[in-house]
């Protein structure tokens, strides 16, 4: 038996679902819990967890997909960079298919741009070292989970004297949008399934202010069916008791204090700034830009380009989906004009996108 099999045991999963149903039976108003991690979103759809829960418990997806929350303006700048003859763009695979205002990196590569998929930012550093006549740009997109690896690549490039390596940074931090959503009167979230990978870096204590300021329960859970349902059960218990605190279900990975070494690296290489989020807007202090002492590695500063006028795709509800206000099935483009093979919005592109998960696994 695989290690993961015990977390997918049918009897355990069904038992948890029955227990949650018994706890919530007869509630006049459903409890609404939001997951803010794309891997949770995929797991909830993949394992059909919504269908196991009673009508008194509703799960909605939030801004947990880093590719999805990246605005068109970032894609447009990356596309402008890739059109320069001496630039090599490097990225994780998901970014290539995200539509910008008028093109995508995949389309630009088909036209001859040098765009390469890498599995680590350090691969991009090595590529730059081997191609000194080229400027190699890594697309730094992600939350606190991937930001330390990008910070490490900048430190590695500096240590190795690789001066032709650059990062186009669009890293974002998770607690701030959770606070914005908590304060939204139209949403009324009763609790958060907190992101596990992010929490491994920043620590579960990072969500304490949400409980204290907004009285919203928070539980950090893993990704297996029993993990998610145990997290839901803990949230239900808090909601019914009128409590709001942080709990760790995913104790095999997440600690209260997080990863101090990764946090120190982030504090050294990056500095907070007011970042734009697709569908949510500019959130104070929610982004990580490259610190001034490492400005030589900042592609936005070091490689000036003319970026086209920003355009949004008509009819796409990706922004509202990221806020949990509508589901993919409410979008008029979903499954018709917008599919994984021909995406209109970013939510349909990434493997962590809500629309991609809904399309693949259905309701």
């Amino acid at each position: 038996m695989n290690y993961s099999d015990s977390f997918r045991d049918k009897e355990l999963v069904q038992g948890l679902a029955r227990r949650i149903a018994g706890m919530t039976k007869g509630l006049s108003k459903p409890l609404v819990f939001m997951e803010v991690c794309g891997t949770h979103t995929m797991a909830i759809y993949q394992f059909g967890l919504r269908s196991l829960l009673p009508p008194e418990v509703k799960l909605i997806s939030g801004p947990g997909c880093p590719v999805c929350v990246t605005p068109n303006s970032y894609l447009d700048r990356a596309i402008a960079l890739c059109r320069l003859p001496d630039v090599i763009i490097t990225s994780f695979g998901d970014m290539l298919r995200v539509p910008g205002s008028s093109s995508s990196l995949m389309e630009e590569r088909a036209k001859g741009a040098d765009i390469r998929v890498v599995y680590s930012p350090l691969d991009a550093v090595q590529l730059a070292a081997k191609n000194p006549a080229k400027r190699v740009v890594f697309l730094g997109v992600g939350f606190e989970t991937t930001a330390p690896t990008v910070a490490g690549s900048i430190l590695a490039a500096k240590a190795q004297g690789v001066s032709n390596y650059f990062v186009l940074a669009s890293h974002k931090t998770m607690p701030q949008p959770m606070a914005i959503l908590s304060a939204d009167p139209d949403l009324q979230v009763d609790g958060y399934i907190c992101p596990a990978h992010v929490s491994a870096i920043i620590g579960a204590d990072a969500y304490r202010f949400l409980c204290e300021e907004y009285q919203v329960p928070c539980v950090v859970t893993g990704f297996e069916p029993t993990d998610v349902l145990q997290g839901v059960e803990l949230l239900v218990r808090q909601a019914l008791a009128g409590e709001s605190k942080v709990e760790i279900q995913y104790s095999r990975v997440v600690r209260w204090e997080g990863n101090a070494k990764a946090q120190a690296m982030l504090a050294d290489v990056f500095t907070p700034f007011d970042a734009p989020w697709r569908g949510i807007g500019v959130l104070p202090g929610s982004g990580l830009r490259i610190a001034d002492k490492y400005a030589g590695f900042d592609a936005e500063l070091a490689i000036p380009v003319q970026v086209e006028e920003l355009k949004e795709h008509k009819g796409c509800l990706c922004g509202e989906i990221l806020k949990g206000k509508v589901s993919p099935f409410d979008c008029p483009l979903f499954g018709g004009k917008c599919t994984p093979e021909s995406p209109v919005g970013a939510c349909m592109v990434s493997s962590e996108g809500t629309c991609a998960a809904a399309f693949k696994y259905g309701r």
Side-chain angles (χ1 to χ4, degrees):
M1 183 174 72
N2 292 329
Y3 175 71
S4 61
D5 288 346
S6 59
F7 297 98
R8 301 179 183 183
D9 183 88
K10 182 179 179 180
E11 292 186 6
L12 285 176
V13 170
Q14 291 179 340
L16 284 165
R18 286 194 297 268
R19 199 154 66 205
I20 293 169
M23 294 166 61
T24 58
K25 186 176 181 179
L27 286 181
S28 59
K29 178 185 176 184
L31 295 172
V32 179
F33 302 133
M34 173 182 281
E35 91 274 354
V36 284
C37 171
T39 309
H40 279 139
T41 297
M42 186 60 70
I44 289 168
Y45 274 104
Q46 179 182 356
F47 297 112
L49 298 186
R50 286 186 177 86
S51 66
L52 297 178
L53 292 171
E56 290 85 0
V57 176
K58 182 180 180 182
L59 300 184
I60 61 174
S61 303
C65 165
V67 171
C68 303
V69 301
T70 301
N72 277 4
S73 56
Y74 177 88
L75 269 300
D76 294 341
R77 181 171 292 276
I79 289 168
L81 286 169
C82 83
R83 291 170 175 167
L84 298 178
D86 65 337
V87 167
I88 300 174
I89 295 291
T90 57
S91 173
F92 298 138
D94 280 357
M95 288 300 299
L96 269 62
R97 296 173 53 246
V98 180
S101 292
S102 64
S103 184
S104 70
L105 291 169
M106 187 74 78
E107 292 177 41
E108 295 301 316
R109 186 165 72 170
K111 296 175 183 177
D114 196 345
I115 301 171
R116 309 187 192 186
V117 174
V118 295
Y119 295 98
S120 164
L122 292 177
D123 294 340
V125 175
Q126 294 176 1
L127 182 65
K130 294 177 181 178
N131 294 271
K134 296 284 188 175
R135 292 181 287 184
V136 176
V137 178
F138 180 77
L139 303 185
V141 173
F143 297 131
E144 296 97 331
T145 312
T146 55
T149 64
V150 176
S153 73
I154 290 175
L155 294 175
K158 182 179 180 181
Q160 297 170 26
V162 181
S163 59
N164 61 321
Y165 173 70
F166 306 91
V167 172
L168 185 62
S170 184
H171 290 294
K172 293 177 171 57
T173 54
M174 183 50 70
Q176 292 88 338
M178 295 171 70
I180 295 297
L181 295 173
S182 299
D184 190 335
D186 296 328
L187 197 56
Q188 296 183 339
V189 174
D190 295 302
Y192 287 108
I193 299 173
C194 296
H197 292 147
V198 165
S199 301
I201 302 297
I202 66 175
D205 202 51
Y207 309 107
R208 188 182 301 275
F209 80 101
L210 294 170
C211 304
E212 295 173 349
E213 295 182 22
Y214 302 100
Q215 290 74 54
V216 57
C218 294
V219 177
V220 182
T221 80
F223 305 107
E224 297 296 337
T226 53
D227 288 326
V228 176
L229 291 180
Q230 282 182 342
V232 171
E233 181 183 8
L234 290 171
L235 287 172
V236 168
R237 291 188 184 279
Q238 286 197 51
L240 295 179
E243 298 177 336
S244 56
K245 58 185 178 182
V246 183
E247 295 184 271
I248 303 175
Q249 182 278 335
Y250 200 34
S251 57
R252 60 188 186 272
V253 172
V254 175
R255 301 291 180 267
W256 288 104
E257 68 279 6
N259 187 318
K261 186 173 182 180
Q263 292 169 16
M265 191 180 296
L266 290 178
D268 177 37
V269 176
F270 294 108
T271 188
F273 82 109
D274 301 344
W277 293 62
R278 185 188 299 271
I280 301 177
V282 177
L283 302 185
S286 67
L288 296 174
R289 67 170 179 82
I290 298 173
D292 291 343
K293 63 179 176 178
Y294 298 105
F297 297 98
D298 189 336
E300 186 168 354
L301 298 177
I303 312 177
V305 287
Q306 185 69 37
V307 181
E308 67 178 292
E309 182 180 354
L310 179 66
K311 297 176 184 177
E312 298 293 343
H313 301 287
K314 293 182 179 180
C316 177
L317 297 184
C318 186
E320 294 300 295
I321 291 168
L322 290 168
K323 290 185 286 190
K325 294 191 174 183
V326 300
S327 83
F329 304 100
D330 297 319
C331 181
L333 305 182
F334 178 79
K337 291 185 178 180
C338 185
T339 65
E341 292 74 26
S342 181
V344 175
C347 294
M348 186 61 89
V349 176
S350 173
S351 60
E352 297 185 339
T354 304
C355 293
F359 185 91
K360 184 173 183 178
Y361 296 108
R363 295 180 184 272

